Amino acid sequence: MGDAVAQVEARFNEEIDSVSDAEMLEAFRVRWFGDKAGLINKGVASWVRELPRELKPVFGKQFKNFAGGVERTLNERRFEIERGKDFHSSSQLQSSNLDLSLPGIRRSVGVEHPLTRTMREMVAVFAALGYSVGVGPEVETDFYNFEALNFPPNHPARDTQDTLVVADQESKPLRERYLMRTHTSPVQIRSMVANDPPLRLVIPGKVHRNDESDATHSPIFHQVEGLCVDRGITFSDLKGTLDHAMKAFFGSSVKTRFFPSFFPFTEPSADVQISCPFCGGNGCRKCKWSGWIELLGCGMVDPAVFQAVDARRVENGLAPAFDVPGISGFAFGMGVERIAMMKYGVGDIGQFYSGDLRFLDQFL
Ligand code: DAH
């Protein structure tokens, strides 16, 4: 019985495939679904007659499925034919070279660049702690980039941050000469010159250095800087804040550890390592089998920085507000590329700037 139904269905499908216009469709409908002479009704009548009584309900059920299916196919075909008629009767479409069999045009959806994304995510961690976002110019004066940050003229600490300088400025005092900023730290100074404490700032931005390009260096890269100044800020605040931030960014099981270091604008200074978020500290390729990854520099704001800030405030007609008993602060800075390379497993920093869609597509 089932076979017989399947055979009829196959025939139905074969015939309906050759129906190409409304007239043929109507003839087809009458032939199959006509009240008396229609194949479906006629077929049922003759089959049912021959069936033993106990098989009749079983057949009834199978037949209902079959009839429902073919009717749906017929309706779909009718819809296709009518839609086709609409298209073809439109003179505009007829005269154009529109080929409806071509695949559609897929618009590519843009995504945030992995560096922008890393910066935004890091900024969000500090924004949640009440930090405001600070910005400053990429073309900076020697004063903000170096002098106020306690890199005196000709001091060897400047050698670590060589950069492009704007030409023909020899007639100006050194501190007023323009250069491409080598770090986001000058925004600390600008912010303190312009605002009274308390201050909590996170500063994302682009920086420039005379560094040879290689797999991990680029003469242009990005940093996220932080500054917190208030009454009675201590090194414990610094440790607590950075420990929280690293957990918020990399996951709550990440640990931090602090090592003595040197930056001219902080005293004491520290380098911060986090336990490897990929292997949990057991050692893997990403942490070079040490279980730890060095991620940022930080420290307590050096009094010399507060003095430079206040001197500039006085020049600008503002009251000194930072080199004041009871006021202290911490600062930190980290490289965005380094973090993004580690997080996304990027082996060559140049990929970030190549504009190669095959690279960028991976961040969809
Ligand atoms: N400006 C430093 C650099 O580019 C990074 C840094 C270290 C920033 C320590 C800080 C800090 O604010 O406290 O190498």
Side-chain angles (χ1 to χ4, degrees):
M1 190 77 240
D3 273 3
V5 172
Q7 268 175 28
V8 176
E9 195 167 6
R11 194 156 136 216
F12 175 90
N13 286 333
E14 203 176 292
E15 279 187 34
I16 202 165
D17 273 349
S18 62
V19 168
S20 60
D21 61 26
E23 223 170 288
M24 285 170 82
L25 185 77
E26 182 54 18
F28 178 84
R29 191 191 65 76
V30 171
R31 179 171 142 71
W32 282 85
F33 294 90
D35 272 353
K36 286 212 181 94
L39 289 176
I40 286 180
N41 283 341
K42 225 162 73 182
V44 191
S46 62
W47 286 343
V48 171
R49 227 177 291 124
E50 284 162 25
L51 280 177
R53 174 184 287 276
E54 68 276 15
L55 278 183
K56 284 185 183 177
V58 184
F59 172 73
K61 215 162 151 202
Q62 273 185 5
F63 186 78
K64 228 168 142 184
N65 279 342
F66 161 71
V70 292
E71 198 166 347
R72 225 174 299 125
T73 311
L74 180 81
N75 285 335
E76 280 166 13
R77 192 80 190 118
R78 173 176 296 132
F79 176 71
E80 281 166 13
I81 287 171
E82 279 170 6
R83 198 176 50 173
K85 194 176 75 197
D86 280 354
F87 276 134
H88 294 302
S89 63
S90 147
S91 57
Q92 207 189 349
L93 285 172
Q94 241 163 29
S95 61
S96 76
N97 290 324
L98 183 67
D99 181 350
L100 295 173
S101 67
L102 287 174
I105 297 166
R106 183 177 298 175
R107 299 226 173 266
S108 47
V109 187
V111 280
E112 216 172 16
H113 190 279
L115 292 178
T116 321
R117 176 170 166 183
T118 306
M119 275 197 276
R120 181 181 52 72
E121 287 172 355
M122 192 54 87
V123 165
V125 166
F126 289 97
L129 292 174
Y131 282 58
S132 319
V133 179
V135 286
E138 273 172 56
V139 181
E140 191 47 286
T141 63
D142 187 278
F143 174 78
Y144 287 112
N145 195 82
F146 289 126
E147 192 185 322
L149 286 161
N150 202 24
F151 293 78
N154 302 315
H155 193 280
R158 289 184 173 221
D159 294 351
T160 61
Q161 303 198 4
D162 189 19
T163 183
L164 285 172
V165 299
V166 175
D168 299 329
Q169 300 185 97
E170 286 73 16
S171 61
K172 287 200 271 184
L174 178 67
R175 51 157 52 181
E176 288 170 27
R177 296 185 198 163
Y178 291 114
L179 43 80
M180 301 308 290
R181 71 175 176 195
T182 59
H183 47 177
T184 40
S185 307
V187 188
Q188 290 187 29
I189 309 295
R190 288 183 173 273
S191 307
M192 289 189 280
V193 166
N195 302 283
D196 292 350
L199 269 183
R200 280 171 182 74
L201 279 178
V202 58
I203 304 153
K206 188 184 286 176
V207 303
H208 306 251
R209 291 206 193 160
N210 180 13
D211 280 345
E212 205 74 55
S213 289
D214 63 24
T216 54
H217 293 86
S218 156
I220 301 177
F221 60 103
H222 300 79
Q223 292 185 332
V224 171
E225 181 96 13
L227 174 70
C228 167
V229 184
D230 202 344
R231 300 205 151 269
I233 296 291
T234 66
F235 200 89
S236 311
D237 297 315
L238 167 60
K239 286 186 79 172
T241 303
L242 291 181
D243 186 69
H244 165 82
M246 293 304 110
K247 286 181 162 64
F249 191 83
F250 290 103
S252 55
S253 58
V254 154
K255 295 201 250 316
T256 51
R257 61 182 192 182
F258 291 67
F259 288 86
S261 183
F262 173 78
F263 301 100
F265 40 91
T266 45
E267 183 60 35
S269 305
D271 284 329
V272 184
Q273 297 185 352
I274 62 166
S275 60
C276 179
F278 302 101
C279 62
N282 296 326
C284 68
R285 215 160 61 96
K286 294 215 186 199
C287 60
K288 304 211 181 80
W289 309 102
S290 74
W292 293 89
I293 294 176
E294 191 164 314
L295 220 54
L296 59 146
C298 64
M300 301 305 291
V301 179
D302 193 301
V305 170
F306 285 148
Q307 283 159 22
V309 164
D310 276 352
R312 181 50 66 101
R313 283 173 65 100
V314 170
E315 279 173 40
N316 292 355
L318 291 166
F322 288 86
D323 185 22
V324 167
I327 292 288
S328 56
F330 64 75
F332 55 88
M334 61 195 107
V336 176
E337 275 78 353
R338 218 179 115 70
I339 294 173
M341 284 174 82
M342 188 180 80
K343 187 162 177 189
Y344 300 117
V346 174
D348 181 352
I349 198 170
Q351 302 250 250
F352 288 128
Y353 321 113
S354 68
D356 187 333
L357 288 176
R358 290 169 303 177
F359 171 72
L360 296 171
D361 270 350
Q362 298 176 82
F363 299 93
L364 272 175

